[in-house]
Amino acid sequence: VQLVESGGGSVQAGGSLRLSCSYSTFTYSSRYMGWFRQAPGKEREGVATIYTGGGATDYADSVKGRFTIDRDNSKQTVTLQMNNLKPEDTAMYYCAAREKMGMIPTPLEVREYDHWGQGTQVTVS
């Protein structure tokens, strides 16, 4: 399984960025995929997740109303639209995929995910 992120960069506060994650074919189509981030000196945290089978989404409180996660199963991509960016959003952003099928009560937990991309840097000044 390969996950490849793109779309990071530098932006001023209040600006927008769109991250994209391309993934290779999984055995089963329905699974959780998510975006996580890690700032220097901090633990990796869940930002937004989506269940590719039905489209159910979850967001960290800090990004609700500003970030939107979406998926295109036919193109095997997951995107994260980030609007009204704040300096505290500065971090390395990672795309992740859970191997097991089925919905879970804690989709934003890092420990639930098995596959990770290499990360893309987002810097907000």
Side-chain angles (χ1 to χ4, degrees), residues 90-121:
T90 295
M92 185 72 78
Y93 282 70
Y94 298 90
C95 178
R98 177 176 164 83
E99 184 67 34
K100 295 180 180 179
M101 293 179 64
M103 300 191 77
I104 56 175
T106 56
L108 287 169
E109 292 289 332
V110 172
R111 58 181 169 81
E112 299 287 3
Y113 292 79
D114 308 286
H115 307 288
W116 296 85
Q118 80 288 353
T120 185
Q121 179 67 38

Side-chain angles (χ1 to χ4, degrees), residues 25-72:
T25 304
F26 291 96
T27 304
Y28 304 103
S29 61
S30 296
R31 65 186 65 252
Y32 278 100
M33 296 197 68
W35 287 96
F36 295 75
R37 66 187 181 187
Q38 187 167 18
K42 294 188 176 181
E43 293 186 354
R44 191 171 297 188
E45 63 175 0
V47 175
T49 65
I50 188 165
Y51 189 65
T52 60
T57 57
D58 289 89
Y59 295 93
D61 289 342
S62 60
V63 307
K64 283 180 181 177
R66 301 188 297 122
F67 291 11
T68 303
I69 189 170
D70 202 356
R71 92 293 191 200
D72 186 329

